[in-house]
């Protein structure tokens, strides 16, 4: 690994794509063809950048490298926010894969995009979403991953914007961005908590230490990692957050699959995969997360079986279950195993969505192309369910091998894989049968077939593992070259190999047969059985009443908030306090006024009485009788006085 | 003295106010805008010329004012106030532009806005407590008239209660001033001289008990600021003012006065009362957390954009208080940065409120039939602006609010890890409230006619704010570098005095 002085071309191309996306939105009225040419330029630039940075052009060898810069504070300072680019195999794989998938969808459905009312939003969301995934997977620090998640989530919301005028679609869009928003906020909280307990966060700390960069080992923080996991959970939205996936959407299905499901999931998984070594510090808590995701997968699959045969809900919920399994695989068997599972689910999602778009509208076309589309649909189902020869099968084998040490876990995982494969094959048969019933497929061009085939080929085992059967044969006898991502061999040992292989392939085969027997041959037995249980169906299909729980929590919060604000702001501040103050002031003023009056009256009365007495006395003096009495008294008094004075 | 830029910044709006009297209404609009812009240009000049390698106050202007009482005209800018200066520089021209089409009493309204701008700038930059109090007290007066004359149906009560809260708050601050003044020998109002530390030994007898002057003065001053800030549970007047005031006045209150009050609080607590701050930092964090949670919980129940804005403001200021109480570099820098983002975010929200009120005639977005507007298709620009504002207020990556939020949390969590749980709940509640608001107003089938999208004048008012929200989220470094030296210096002094 080496240290770069400048960011990679891929990072520049991704940022340029974001600018293009903004330009398409702002200038859609002025750009020709609603800005599609700008979208094409963006994607081509991105692919070219991938080629140059990975050595496809020129001398052709790949070198891992990093680039780091400070965002807030110095780059290696504790508590700072640093941004960095990590150029490694896994990141390039994810980024290139996303770019290729987006380019293929653009190639396939450009005419369909042009016919949409808000085509510019679709082009812009495609560019922004791909850029988000590229940034998330090229990130050396989790802060840039969060920016990538923000971009890809925002792109998905923008894509949903084409259908905002319908109330149900609007509710779905609101639920979508609420869940992603919550997930993003919780991830930011978790990240901040981790950053507060140690130096600036980086991925691949061990590799960076080998480059002589200062010790980056931060203190482990279960709370921060826990919040991060919960945030990732919300962003991926498995059960119980199925409400957005359930229900028919007006958005064109491949668009919805790529922009609203795959791209946000890829971005969110960057955090889970890159931080795997830190999450393992949680110990048993991380394992519990895995077990919880297995449970979520089961519940989602069960709900999918109760969905009406409307593709938006069925395929959407199936993919949610797949994501739950991917998340379960990370703690149980590692990131690369989960990646294999994700490859299968992604290729299946795209193929199913395209088949749905093709088969649902009846119009005339060539029967050979229709047959080809059915074949590709079957291949898609095989790819999605981990059949022989596909990369996704290695995930099932490896996770069963890792779980053998824990009693019962292997059985549970096998059950989950069986149900997952059963649902995948059910969808496959239903799609193929609907093509038959709709007589012909609409506008089925060769590009649709080729693109769908490409998506299946991306999951072929020998591309990733170098083994034709993906490790189905003992001793890797069919290996052609070194695996692309990690030089791991699937050497389970003879005893384990036989039991794991038997269990896994047996489950897949039984699932295929069950699907054929219940769905492929005649009518859909599941749909028929479920139709006899309307209440249970309504409960399970709507997500086990989670909407009601959510509404109840929301109502409780609103009631509390209303109560507190009403008591404080109305009862206290507008009524009690003013009245109380007024009473206090009025009371004091009244008391003082009364006291003043009393004192005044009292003083007046005193003055009146004194003056009355004196006045009365003087008045009495002026009357005649008193005068003579006074003369006698004064004369007598004078005589007594003279007498005593004379004696002295 | 940087060409007396601070004085120009403070007195140009006052000159504009005085000249308003002599001009007819049509010309007075342009005079008001010109005066405000001129003051803003002076402010921007100060911001751009601030040296980032020093924590000392810069662009200082010192004159003796009332010499016999040691009262000076002492103005300067530093890391504590520079970002709020930038905020006010952007805010007031936008507010004046928002009221451009008002039919009645325009001259009076503009005069009051200019007076408000001058008084807030003055309060922010003053380094003398008496001078600061003069400007701060003056800033309360315009709201009485702005709400009382141009407000809604209950404007008289709202104006009166706003005024009473301000009067009580200012009285407490004045009591603190007098206490500090007479506790020092020689008497002084200068913040720098008070901060030297002599006041920390002073005590005052209260009902027979000796109480430290710093404790009592801090209590009085913080109580006074809390009334005007407004801090929960002293926020009742603010909610009433939010319901009755015109949108631009509400923005002036939420995005102007609140950031200034927070800035003053941080300056006073770190410069004058570091010992009290050190001793009661956990209490400050708890108050902040209470504001954050209660504001969020109350926001969930709101049906009107006005009260929603008010409660979001209360919630966000709680976060800033938590950052200030963390006593860590990241927390303090984050809180100072978040003051700017709070102001910008609330200004954007208020302008969006103004646009909505103009178009649909009501700020109620949920509850009665026909009040859910669903305007995403009719007014896409407003929808995008509202989306950016919501994202910034919530602290999503890529927007300015994210940097402030992240720094406050990084700084706060290490000292008080338990705060993550109520904090996360508060964030989820606020985000749910804002998402619900967005869904009601912009998404779904339109039920009322929303009118035209933004006009050129409105775009000129709102685009700078939106751009700043994005720039602050993508490239915050220049803003952070303005505040870091002062923040780090103050923290080192605070911790050194504690040892």
């Amino acid at each position: 690994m080496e240290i770069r002085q400048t960011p990679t071309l891929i990072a520049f191309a991704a940022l340029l794509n974001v600018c293009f996306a903004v330009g398409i939105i702002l200038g859609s009225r002025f750009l020709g063809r609603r800005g599609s040419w700008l979208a094409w330029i963006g994607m081509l630039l991105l692919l070219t950048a991938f080629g140059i940075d990975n050595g496809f052009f020129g001398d052709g060898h790949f070198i891992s490298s990093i680039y780091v810069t400070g965002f807030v504070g110095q780059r290696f300072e504790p508590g700072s926010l640093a941004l960095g680019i990590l150029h490694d195999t896994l990141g390039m794989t994810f980024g290139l894969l996303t770019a290729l998938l987006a380019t293929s969808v653009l190639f396939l459905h450009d005419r369909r995009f042009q016919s949409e009312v808000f085509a510019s939003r679709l082009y812009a969301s495609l560019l922004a979403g791909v850029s988000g995934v590229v940034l998330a997977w090229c990130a050396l620090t989790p802060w840039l991953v969060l920016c990538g998640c923000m971009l890809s989530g925002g792109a998905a919301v923008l894509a949903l914007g084409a259908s905002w005028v319908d109330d149900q679609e609007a509710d779905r869009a609101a639920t979508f961005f609420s869940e992603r928003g919550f997930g993003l906020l919780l991830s930011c909280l978790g990240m901040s908590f981790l950053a507060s307990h140690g130096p600036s966060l980086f991925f691949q700390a061990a590799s960076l230490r080998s480059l002589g960069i200062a010790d980056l080992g931060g203190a482990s923080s279960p709370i921060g990692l826990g919040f991060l996991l919960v945030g990732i959970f919300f962003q991926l939205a498995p059960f119980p957050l199925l409400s957005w996936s359930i229900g028919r959407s007006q958005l064109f299905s491949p668009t919805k699959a790529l922009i609203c499901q795959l791209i946000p999931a890829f971005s969110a998984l960057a955090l889970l995969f890159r931080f795997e070594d830190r999450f393992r510090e949680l110990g048993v808590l991380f394992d519990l997360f895995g077990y919880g995701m297995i449970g979520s997968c089961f519940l989602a699959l069960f709900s999918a079986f109760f969905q009406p045969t409307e593709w938006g809900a069925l395929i959407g919920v199936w993919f949610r279950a797949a994501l739950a399994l991917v998340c379960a695989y990370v703690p149980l068997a590692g990131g690369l195993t989960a990646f294999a599972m994700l490859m299968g689910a992604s290729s299946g999602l795209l193929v199913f969505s395209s088949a749905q778009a093709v088969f649902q509208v009846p119009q005339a076309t060539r029967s050979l192309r229709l047959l080809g589309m059915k074949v590709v649909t079957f291949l898609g189902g095989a790819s999605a369910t981990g059949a022989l020869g596909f990369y996704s099968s290695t995930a099932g084998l490896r996770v069963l091998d890792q779980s053998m040490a824990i009693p019962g876990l292997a059985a549970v995982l096998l059950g989950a894989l069986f149900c997952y494969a059963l649902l995948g094959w059910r969808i496959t048969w239903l799609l193929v049968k609907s093509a038959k019933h709709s007589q012909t497929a609409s506008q089925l061009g060769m590009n649709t077939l080729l693109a769908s085939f490409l998506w299946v080929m991306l999951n072929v085992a020998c591309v990733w593992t170098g083994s034709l059967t993906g490790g189905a044969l003992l001793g890797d006898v069919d290996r052609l070259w070194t695996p692309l991502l990690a030089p791991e061999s699937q050497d389970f040992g003879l005893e384990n190999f036989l039991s794991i292989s038997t269990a896994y392939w047996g489950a897949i085969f039984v699932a295929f047969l069950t699907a054929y027997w219940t769905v492929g041959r005649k009518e859909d037995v599941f749909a028929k059985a479920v139709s006899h249980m309307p209440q249970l169906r309504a409960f399970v299909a709507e997500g086990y009443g989670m909407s009601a729980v959510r509404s109840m929590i929301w109502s409780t919060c609103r009631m509390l908030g209303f109560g507190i604000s009403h008591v404080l702001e109305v009862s206290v501040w507008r009524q009690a306090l003013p009245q109380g103050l007024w009473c206090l002031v009025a009371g004091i003023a009244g008391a003082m006024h009364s006291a003043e009056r009393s004192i005044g009256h009292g003083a007046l009365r005193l003055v009146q009485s004194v003056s009355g007495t004196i006045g009365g006395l003087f008045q009495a003096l002026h009357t005649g009788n008193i005068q003579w009495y006074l003369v006698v008294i004064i004369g007598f008094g004078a005589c007594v006085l003279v007498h005593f004075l004379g004696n002295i | 003295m940087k060409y007396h830029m601070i004085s120009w910044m403070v007195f140009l709006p006052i000159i504009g106010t005085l000249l308003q009297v002599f001009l007819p209404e049509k010309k007075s609009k342009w005079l008001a805008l010109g005066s405000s812009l001129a003051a803003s240009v002076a402010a921007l000049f100060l911001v751009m010329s601030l040296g980032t390698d020093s924590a000392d106050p810069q662009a200082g202007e010192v004159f003796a004012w009332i010499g016999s009482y040691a009262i000076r005209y002492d103005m300067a800018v530093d890391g504590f106030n520079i970002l709020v200066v930038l905020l006010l520089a952007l805010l007031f021209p936008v507010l004046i532009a928002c009221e451009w089409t008002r039919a009645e009493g325009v001259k009076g309204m503009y005069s009051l806005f200019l007076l408000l701008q001058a008084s807030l700038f003055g309060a922010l930059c003053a380094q003398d407590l008496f001078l600061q109090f003069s400007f701060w007290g003056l800033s309360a007066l315009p709201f009485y008239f702005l709400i009382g004359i141009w407000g809604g149906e209950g404007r008289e009560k709202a104006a009166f209660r706003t005024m009473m809260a301000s009067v009580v708050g200012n009285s407490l601050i004045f009591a603190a001033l007098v206490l500090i003044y007479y506790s020092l020998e020689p008497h002084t109002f200068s913040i720098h001289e008070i901060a030297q530390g002599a006041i920390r030994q002073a005590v005052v007898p209260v009902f027979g008990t000796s109480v430290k002057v710093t404790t009592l003065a801090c209590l009085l001053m913080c109580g006074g600021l809390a009334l005007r800030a407004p801090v929960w549970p002293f926020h009742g007047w603010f909610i009433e003012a939010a319901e009755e005031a015109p949108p631009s006045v509400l923005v002036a209150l939420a995005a102007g006065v609140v950031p200034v009050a927070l800035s003053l609080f941080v300056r006073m607590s770190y410069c004058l009362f570091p010992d009290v701050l050190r001793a009661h930092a956990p209490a400050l964090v708890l108050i902040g957390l209470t504001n954050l949670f209660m504001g969020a919980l109350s926001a969930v129940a709101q049906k009107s954009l006005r009260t929603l804005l008010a409660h979001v403001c209360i919630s966000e200021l709680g976060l800033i208080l938590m950052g200030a109480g963390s006593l860590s570099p990241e927390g303090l820098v984050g809180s100072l940065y978040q003051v700017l983002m709070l102001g910008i975010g609330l200004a954007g929200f208020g302008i969006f409120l103004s646009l909505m009120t103009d178009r649909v005639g009501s700020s109620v977005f949920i509850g009665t039939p026909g009040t859910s507007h669903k305007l995403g298709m009719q007014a896409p620009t407003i929808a995008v602006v509202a989306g950016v504002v919501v994202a910034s207020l919530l602290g999503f990556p890529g927007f300015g609010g994210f940097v402030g939020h992240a720094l406050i949390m990084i700084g706060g969590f290490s000292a008080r890890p338990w705060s993550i749980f109520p904090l996360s709940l508060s964030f989820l509640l606020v985000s749910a409230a804002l998402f619900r608001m967005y869904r009601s107003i912009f998404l779904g089938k339109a039920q009322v006619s929303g009118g035209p999208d933004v006009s050129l004048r409105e775009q000129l008012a709102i685009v700078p704010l939106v751009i700043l929200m994005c720039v602050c989220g993508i490239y915050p470094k220049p803003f952070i570098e303005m505040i870091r030296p002062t923040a780090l210096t103050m923290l080192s002094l605070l911790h050194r005095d504690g040892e």
Side-chain angles (χ1 to χ4, degrees):
Chain A
M1 192 176 280
E2 62 182 33
I3 301 176
R4 300 171 67 99
Q5 300 305 315
T6 55
T8 55
L9 279 176
I10 295 169
F12 280 123
L15 291 173
L16 196 61
N17 272 357
V18 174
C19 298
F20 284 172
V22 173
I24 290 173
I25 290 291
L26 294 177
S28 59
R29 275 178 292 177
F30 311 109
L31 293 170
R33 286 178 55 83
R34 318 270 195 103
S36 69
W37 56 274
L38 206 52
W40 275 108
I41 290 174
M43 293 310 304
L44 287 172
L45 278 174
L46 188 63
L47 289 170
T48 309
F50 267 108
I52 296 173
D53 275 343
N54 289 299
F56 292 156
F57 309 126
D59 56 4
H61 62 277
F62 177 83
I63 303 171
S64 291
S65 61
I66 63 164
Y67 165 78
V68 191
T69 182
F71 182 55
V72 175
Q74 298 302 314
R75 52 189 181 171
F76 298 121
E77 193 181 350
S80 68
L81 276 66
L83 296 179
I85 304 293
L86 173 62
H87 186 77
D88 70 344
T89 321
L90 187 63
M92 292 304 103
T93 304
F94 258 100
L96 185 58
L97 192 67
T98 312
L100 284 173
L101 291 176
T103 309
S104 62
V105 168
L106 190 62
F107 171 68
L108 255 189
H109 300 294
D110 195 18
R111 253 191 290 176
R112 175 63 191 252
F113 282 15
Q114 284 290 312
S115 65
E116 293 277 345
V117 176
F118 297 103
S120 54
R121 291 183 192 176
L122 293 176
Y123 290 124
S125 57
L126 193 79
L127 283 178
V130 172
S131 304
V133 174
V134 168
L135 285 175
W137 279 97
C138 288
L140 179 62
T141 58
W143 307 110
L144 193 57
V145 177
L146 293 175
C147 293
C149 292
M150 174 74 195
L151 269 175
S152 50
V157 171
L158 188 61
L160 289 170
S163 311
W164 282 349
V165 292
D166 180 74
D167 278 338
Q168 274 192 342
E169 290 283 342
D171 283 333
R172 214 162 282 130
T175 308
F176 180 90
F177 70 68
S178 297
E179 288 167 1
R180 262 108 197 128
F182 287 168
L184 206 52
L185 285 173
L186 290 170
S187 300
C188 291
L189 278 170
M191 212 67 72
S192 303
F193 198 88
L194 288 173
S196 71
H197 283 75
S200 189
L201 299 171
F202 287 88
F203 300 131
Q204 296 208 357
S207 304
L208 296 182
R209 274 195 287 274
S210 67
L211 293 174
I213 295 170
D215 185 13
L216 300 168
S220 172
S221 171
I223 298 176
L225 291 171
F227 268 81
L228 201 50
L229 273 179
V230 174
I232 294 170
F233 180 87
F234 270 89
Q235 287 189 69
L236 292 173
F239 175 84
L241 304 172
L242 295 177
S243 54
W244 172 74
S245 308
I246 294 167
R248 197 181 185 89
S249 173
Q250 294 175 15
L251 192 61
F252 186 46
S253 51
T255 315
K256 183 181 165 188
L258 179 70
I259 302 176
C260 304
Q261 303 223 45
L262 269 182
I263 282 178
F266 280 7
S267 296
L269 286 170
L271 272 174
L272 185 63
F273 280 45
R274 290 296 199 193
F275 250 2
E276 186 189 335
D277 52 347
R278 294 291 290 269
F279 284 131
R280 291 206 179 277
E281 294 170 11
L282 286 173
V284 71
L285 288 175
F286 194 38
D287 293 336
L288 281 175
F289 170 75
Y291 304 151
M293 296 310 278
I294 296 173
S296 168
C297 173
F298 268 118
L299 289 165
L301 288 169
F302 193 56
S303 173
F305 280 112
F306 280 79
Q307 296 296 331
T309 318
E310 288 183 2
W311 305 113
L314 199 53
I315 297 175
V317 177
W318 169 80
F319 186 67
R320 292 272 155 263
L323 281 182
L325 265 186
V326 167
C327 291
Y329 282 12
V330 176
L332 298 177
L336 289 179
T337 308
F339 174 71
M341 175 71 193
L342 183 65
M343 282 302 302
S346 307
S347 68
L349 176 69
L350 286 170
V351 170
F352 288 161
S353 306
S354 273
Q356 172 200 343
V358 164
F359 291 148
Q360 70 185 358
V361 180
Q363 275 184 25
T365 187
R366 297 179 188 178
S367 60
L368 196 59
R369 288 191 188 176
L370 183 63
L371 179 64
M373 195 65 207
K374 288 182 188 175
V375 167
V376 167
T377 306
F378 267 108
L379 287 174
S383 161
T385 55
L388 184 67
F390 289 101
Y391 186 36
S392 43
S393 64
T394 65
L397 290 169
R398 197 167 294 140
V399 77
L400 284 175
D401 175 52
Q402 295 293 318
S403 62
M404 293 294 272
I406 302 170
L409 181 59
V412 168
L413 277 168
L414 200 61
L417 284 167
F418 170 77
C419 294
Y420 169 74
L422 175 61
L423 183 61
W425 283 116
R426 180 180 174 226
I427 292 171
T428 309
W429 280 112
L430 286 171
L431 276 169
V432 169
K433 281 168 63 178
S434 75
K436 200 170 158 185
H437 289 147
S438 68
Q439 297 172 7
T440 50
S442 74
Q443 299 176 346
L444 180 54
M446 279 305 293
N447 51 353
T448 305
L449 274 176
L450 288 173
S452 304
F453 193 65
L454 171 67
W455 296 332
V456 171
M457 288 303 294
L458 283 174
N459 192 34
V460 166
C462 67
V463 171
W464 299 99
T465 64
S467 157
L468 277 172
T469 59
L473 300 178
L474 184 64
D476 266 352
V477 294
D478 57 341
R479 180 172 298 284
L480 302 176
W481 52 73
T482 312
L484 189 65
L485 281 178
E488 296 168 13
S489 62
Q490 287 188 183
D491 187 8
F492 302 143
L494 178 62
E495 201 178 299
N496 266 358
F497 180 82
L498 287 175
S499 53
I500 291 167
S501 292
T502 310
Y504 179 75
W505 298 117
I508 297 299
F509 185 63
V510 170
F512 174 77
L513 283 180
T514 309
Y516 170 70
W517 198 260
T518 54
V519 179
R521 282 190 323 139
K522 296 178 185 175
E523 62 181 332
D524 186 352
V525 169
F526 290 108
K528 194 177 172 187
V530 156
S531 65
H532 295 301
M533 299 177 278
Q535 283 182 339
L536 180 64
R537 178 189 193 172
F539 175 72
V540 174
E542 289 297 317
Y544 306 89
M546 289 310 296
S547 301
V549 169
R550 237 200 311 263
S551 299
M552 201 168 66
I553 294 173
W554 179 247
S555 302
T556 309
C557 290
R558 286 197 64 206
M559 221 161 54
L560 271 174
F562 178 74
I564 288 169
S565 64
H566 186 78
V567 163
L568 203 56
E569 291 156 21
V570 177
S571 304
V572 172
W573 271 91
R574 295 189 205 186
Q575 292 169 1
L577 192 63
Q579 281 173 5
L581 281 174
W582 175 249
C583 289
L584 183 69
V585 169
I588 294 172
M592 290 191 68
H593 183 62
S594 303
E596 187 189 12
R597 281 181 65 181
S598 303
I599 293 170
H601 282 310
L604 193 62
R605 273 198 295 273
L606 182 66
V607 166
Q608 276 179 343
S609 64
V610 166
S611 60
T613 307
I614 296 171
L617 189 63
F618 279 122
Q619 191 176 16
L621 284 175
H622 281 119
T623 62
N625 294 335
I626 298 292
Q627 279 174 341
W628 291 115
Y629 292 142
L630 275 176
V631 166
V632 170
I633 289 167
I634 291 170
F636 183 73
C639 290
V640 171
L641 190 63
V642 166
H643 174 72
F644 279 107
L645 284 174
N647 286 342
I648 295 168
Chain B
M1 291 203 177
K2 296 280 184 191
Y3 310 108
H4 302 288
M5 275 297 153
I6 297 181
S7 296
W8 283 115
M9 185 177 72
V10 171
F11 289 105
L12 273 171
I14 294 178
I15 295 169
T17 303
L18 294 170
L19 289 175
Q20 288 274 309
V21 176
F22 305 106
L23 291 177
E25 269 201 17
K26 277 189 184 169
K27 289 188 182 169
S28 72
K29 284 188 194 180
W30 291 102
L31 174 68
L33 186 63
S35 310
S36 184
L37 277 172
S40 299
V41 166
L44 289 171
F45 182 84
L46 276 171
V47 169
M48 287 190 297
S49 61
L50 185 80
T52 56
D53 50 356
S54 167
D56 296 330
Q58 299 177 39
E61 299 175 35
V62 185
F63 304 106
W65 181 21
I66 308 175
S68 50
Y69 289 97
I71 298 173
R72 292 185 293 189
Y73 178 83
D74 187 355
M75 299 282 223
V77 287
D78 59 13
F80 278 139
N81 60 12
I82 193 66
L83 289 187
V84 188
V85 166
L86 174 64
L87 170 66
L88 296 179
L90 289 170
L91 184 67
F92 278 94
V94 167
L95 293 181
I96 289 173
C98 283
E99 294 294 339
W100 204 254
T101 54
R102 184 169 284 278
E104 294 175 357
V106 176
K107 269 172 68 169
M109 187 177 237
Y110 286 161
S111 303
L112 291 166
F113 272 137
L114 290 172
L115 193 62
L116 190 58
Q117 182 177 4
S119 55
L120 289 177
F121 271 139
L124 210 48
C125 298
Q127 304 296 313
D128 181 282
L129 284 178
F130 190 89
L131 182 68
Q132 189 179 76
F133 175 76
S134 306
F135 281 116
W136 184 240
L138 183 61
S139 70
L141 186 62
F143 285 108
Y144 182 72
F145 298 103
L146 284 168
I147 299 173
I149 298 172
W150 289 281
E153 286 180 7
R155 57 185 176 271
E156 292 92 357
K157 277 189 187 171
F160 178 75
R161 284 172 186 158
T162 302
M163 196 65 195
M164 286 312 299
S166 302
V167 163
V168 172
N170 292 343
S171 306
L172 293 174
I173 295 173
F174 189 72
L177 248 66
V178 171
L179 179 64
I180 292 170
Y181 180 75
Y182 283 108
S183 303
L184 286 172
E185 284 296 339
H187 303 316
T188 181
F189 282 112
S190 170
I191 291 175
H192 303 297
E193 289 171 19
I194 297 169
Q196 298 304 317
I199 195 172
R200 289 167 217 168
Q201 282 76 43
V203 292
V204 62
V206 175
F207 299 115
T209 322
S210 289
V211 176
K212 287 183 76 174
V213 166
T214 49
T215 306
L216 186 58
C218 184
L219 200 63
L220 289 168
M221 194 165 278
C222 292
L225 287 171
L227 268 170
R228 285 199 67 188
V231 174
W232 194 93
F234 308 116
H235 67 289
W237 66 269
F238 182 59
I239 304 301
E240 199 168 356
E243 287 172 1
E244 302 300 337
S248 53
V249 176
L250 176 57
V251 170
L253 198 52
V257 173
V258 172
V260 172
L262 287 168
S263 176
L264 292 179
F265 167 75
V266 172
R267 178 185 292 284
M268 294 301 124
S269 54
Y270 274 83
C271 294
L272 301 186
F273 314 119
D275 52 336
V276 181
L277 180 64
R278 248 194 333 271
H280 296 100
L284 180 60
V285 171
L286 199 58
I287 291 170
L289 203 53
T290 309
N291 269 268
L292 182 65
F293 185 73
M294 288 300 178
L297 194 56
S298 302
V300 162
Q302 300 312 312
K303 297 179 184 177
S304 160
L305 283 173
R306 291 166 173 273
T307 50
L308 179 62
L309 185 155
H311 285 101
V312 167
C313 175
I314 291 167
S315 189
E316 289 287 320
L317 83 85
L319 186 68
I320 293 169
L321 290 177
M322 286 179 69
S326 67
L327 304 187
S328 65
E330 300 88 9
L332 182 58
V333 169
S335 63
L336 291 171
Y337 190 80
Q338 188 60 17
V339 170
L340 170 67
M341 298 321 304
L342 171 68
I344 295 173
L346 292 178
F349 198 129
I351 291 170
F352 153 59
L353 161 67
S354 169
L355 294 172
M356 290 300 305
T357 313
D358 284 344
R359 278 150 180 78
V360 300
S362 166
S363 63
V364 175
F365 60 89
I366 204 162
T368 53
T371 54
S372 298
H373 308 301
K374 319 280 173 54
L375 298 176
M377 293 299 137
Q378 298 176 48
T381 309
I382 301 178
V384 168
V385 166
V388 172
V389 167
V390 165
S392 182
L393 282 172
L394 292 176
F396 281 134
F399 298 95
F402 168 70
V403 176
H405 282 205
L407 284 174
I408 289 173
M409 289 187 287
I410 290 171
F413 284 153
S414 54
R416 286 159 199 96
W418 50 264
S419 60
I420 192 174
F421 298 104
L423 200 136
S424 58
L425 194 56
S426 309
F427 278 174
L428 292 180
L429 288 171
V430 170
S431 61
L434 288 172
F435 287 156
R436 178 166 148 268
M437 176 273 294
Y438 198 91
R439 158 71 181 96
S440 294
I441 292 181
F442 292 109
L443 306 187
K445 195 171 176 186
Q447 295 182 7
V448 297
S449 171
D453 207 357
V454 286
S455 63
L456 179 61
R457 178 182 59 83
E458 289 163 346
Q459 284 181 27
L460 286 173
I462 207 159
V463 161
L465 293 175
V466 170
I467 290 174
L468 195 58
M469 273 185 242
C470 297
V471 165
C472 287
I474 296 169
Y475 190 54
K477 196 171 176 183
F479 305 101
I480 298 285
E481 289 307 315
M482 285 182 206
I483 54 183
R484 265 176 78 92
T486 309
L488 293 176
T489 306
M490 283 297 139
L491 275 167
S492 65
L493 288 172
L494 185 137
H495 290 300
R496 187 196 65 193
D497 288 344
E499 285 166 2

